[in-house]
Each structure stands twice: as C-alpha cells, then as structure tokens.
C-alpha cells in the first residue's frame, strides 16, 4: 500500500540554523509534491510545489528537493526563526489525479 | 487576498444527527475538495468535486456523506447520521485547475464534535 513518511514527529532547531525535513514515500509514483505549513487548529497553508522532472525549487528562505530515484523530498528552511515553528506537511499527487495524499507531518520548533 | 471560508468554526452534535458543513471556495476556482483530520492524525482526502459532480472519493466517503454545490458560491458537506468516529477537523479546499499544477487553498476548518 502507499506510504508517505516524514522523518520525525518533532524536530527542535536553534534559531538561525537550517532546518531540514524529510519526506519519503513508497509504492507511489507522484507527478508532483507539495509542502504545506499547518499551525495548531488551522488549515494547511501552501508553501512550495515541485514536479517530478524538477530537482530543486526555492522560495525566499525555503528550498525543496525531489529525488524520484530515492523516493524522497527534502525541505529546508535557512536562517530559521521562531516564527517558523509549526507542523510541516508533505503531500503527493499522482498524474491526472487531483487529490493530495498527506504525510503525518513534522512538528518543527525553532528555539530562540 | 482571496480565501476559502468555512462555517461554522465549531459544531457539536449528538450521535445520529445530521450535520451540514459549509464552505465558500475562492470565486474563480473550479475544483473543490473536502479533507478531514482526526486529532493528532494526518490530513485525509474525502472527496473531490468538479463540474458539479464528484470526480473522486475515498473509502471514508461512504453513503452517509454527500456533497453539494447548491449555488455558484457555496460548497457543502453533509453527514447524514453522525457517529462518534466522525469527530474531526473538516477542511474545505479549492484550486483553479485541478491538483496537477496548482496549489490547494484550504479553509480554516470546522471542528466537528459528535457526542
């Protein structure tokens, strides 16, 4: 069965350092992968989308990589700030399919 | 900035009762979705809706669930006879051209508590 795993349930990073979150998947051939941020009691907020034929995408302090051979995406936040503290979700979708399949999320805490 | 709005933010209902969760997607969006998130668990797909019909539904979306777009702006999820295990956050989402190339915009959710 399809499985999407995010490396750890919780991650604590010192302010100013780079936070790296991992998303691994099995039994899946995604056409694209998205990363979302979710704050407690709120809906997911879109951050970045990367397609199967793209290796890397950047947006300000955020960077996403996508390795379809390793079946893995890495999500980096550089120069992390306490305001970056949240749960980060990866979500995959197959080609021609609109639904998103979410991972369980990683709760990131940036320590001042 | 346009946003997806959901009402109510919190709904408490007795087991066996019907509930309707309401959503107003972003106005020029064409694809609409409902997801749910049980406390402490992952966000799960329920149903997608395009061109006034369901395009896909998950195993969770059984005969107790239905969706409707009664007018040009609202998108509703009805649960006919609620069960305790239906307690969750329900998120409505929309996007312009289907999931393939565009981000999904999520509402803030309705917290449904079945007692």
């Amino acid at each position: 069965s399809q499985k999407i795993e995010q490396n750890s349930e919780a991650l604590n990073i010192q302010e100013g350092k780079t936070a790296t979150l991992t998303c691994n998947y099995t039994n899946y051939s995604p056409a694209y992968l998205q990363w979302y941020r979710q704050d407690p009691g709120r809906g997911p907020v879109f951050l970045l989308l990367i397609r199967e034929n793209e290796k890397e995408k950047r947006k300000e302090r955020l960077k996403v990589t996508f390795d379809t051979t390793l079946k893995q995406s890495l999500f980096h936040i550089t120069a992390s700030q306490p305001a970056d503290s949240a749960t980060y979700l990866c979500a995959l979708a197959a080609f021609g399919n609109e639904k998103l399949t979410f991972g369980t999320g990683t709760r990131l805490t940036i320590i001042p | 900035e346009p946003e997806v709005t959901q009402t109510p933010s919190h709904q408490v209902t007795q087991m066996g009762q019907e509930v309707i969760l309401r959503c107003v997607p972003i106005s020029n969006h064409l694809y609409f979705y409902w997801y749910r998130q049980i406390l402490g668990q992952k966000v799960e797909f329920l149903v997608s809706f395009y061109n006034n019909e369901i395009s896909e539904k998950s195993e969770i979306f059984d005969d107790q669930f239905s969706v409707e777009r009664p007018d040009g702006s609202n998108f509703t999820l009805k649960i006919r006879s609620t069960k305790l295990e239906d307690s969750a956050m329900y998120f409505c989402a929309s996007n312009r051209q289907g999931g393939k190339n565009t981000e999904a915009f999520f509402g803030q959710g309705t917290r449904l508590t079945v007692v």
Side-chain angles (χ1 to χ4, degrees):
Chain A
S1 62
Q2 294 171 350
K3 210 171 174 184
I4 302 167
E5 287 181 333
Q6 295 190 237
N7 58 326
S8 50
E9 206 174 298
L11 189 63
N12 296 330
I13 298 290
Q14 205 71 39
E15 183 178 1
K17 302 289 187 189
T18 296
T20 298
L21 285 63
T22 306
C23 177
N24 293 293
Y25 58 92
T26 54
N27 297 323
Y28 208 111
S29 296
Y32 65 96
L33 186 149
Q34 299 186 6
W35 283 88
Y36 287 81
R37 169 185 172 136
Q38 187 177 29
D39 291 288
R42 317 276 281 183
V45 175
F46 172 80
L47 296 173
L48 279 168
L49 179 154
I50 188 164
R51 295 181 180 82
E52 58 176 342
N53 58 350
E54 296 175 321
K55 295 277 188 232
E56 186 179 294
K57 223 38 168 329
R58 290 175 186 259
K59 180 181 172 185
E60 296 171 356
R61 295 184 295 111
L62 308 180
K63 183 177 92 171
V64 171
T65 62
F66 193 11
D67 189 325
T68 54
T69 304
L70 290 179
K71 295 185 184 296
Q72 182 181 81
S73 174
L74 300 179
F75 176 79
H76 307 272
I77 305 175
T78 57
S80 57
Q81 304 164 1
D84 295 326
S85 299
T87 295
Y88 290 85
L89 312 174
C90 74
L92 281 72
F95 184 78
N97 189 323
E98 303 107 19
K99 77 176 186 193
L100 292 173
T101 303
F102 283 87
T104 48
T106 296
R107 190 173 65 252
L108 176 67
T109 303
I110 306 299
I111 303 163
Chain B
E1 189 172 317
E3 59 181 18
V4 175
T5 55
Q6 290 185 243
T7 54
S9 55
H10 194 180
Q11 171 101 41
V12 181
T13 189
Q14 285 208 319
M15 192 168 57
Q17 294 296 303
E18 174 183 285
V19 293
I20 297 176
L21 310 183
R22 301 178 194 280
C23 169
V24 179
I26 295 172
S27 61
N28 63 346
H29 284 189
L30 301 175
Y31 292 78
F32 314 113
Y33 312 84
W34 284 100
Y35 290 83
R36 80 169 186 193
Q37 186 175 32
I38 294 170
L39 187 63
Q41 297 187 25
K42 63 182 179 179
V43 177
E44 299 176 288
F45 169 79
L46 291 179
V47 65
S48 56
F49 192 87
Y50 169 70
N51 203 23
N52 283 321
E53 61 182 24
I54 290 173
S55 47
E56 186 173 356
K57 57 185 181 180
S58 71
E59 289 173 358
I60 303 167
F61 194 90
D62 61 22
D63 292 343
Q64 293 301 310
F65 290 85
S66 63
V67 289
E68 201 177 34
R69 188 152 162 83
D71 52 43
S73 58
N74 291 286
F75 180 49
T76 61
L77 174 70
K78 184 195 291 187
I79 309 175
R80 241 178 293 283
S81 177
T82 49
K83 303 189 275 283
L84 294 176
E85 53 264 38
D86 293 328
S87 296
M89 280 287 278
Y90 287 80
F91 294 109
C92 174
S94 69
N95 56 15
R96 276 185 293 115
Q97 57 185 83
K100 192 153 60 82
N101 291 304
T102 62
E103 66 198 83
F105 290 79
F106 284 79
Q108 297 297 2
T110 293
R111 181 175 299 284
L112 177 65
T113 303
V114 183
V115 297

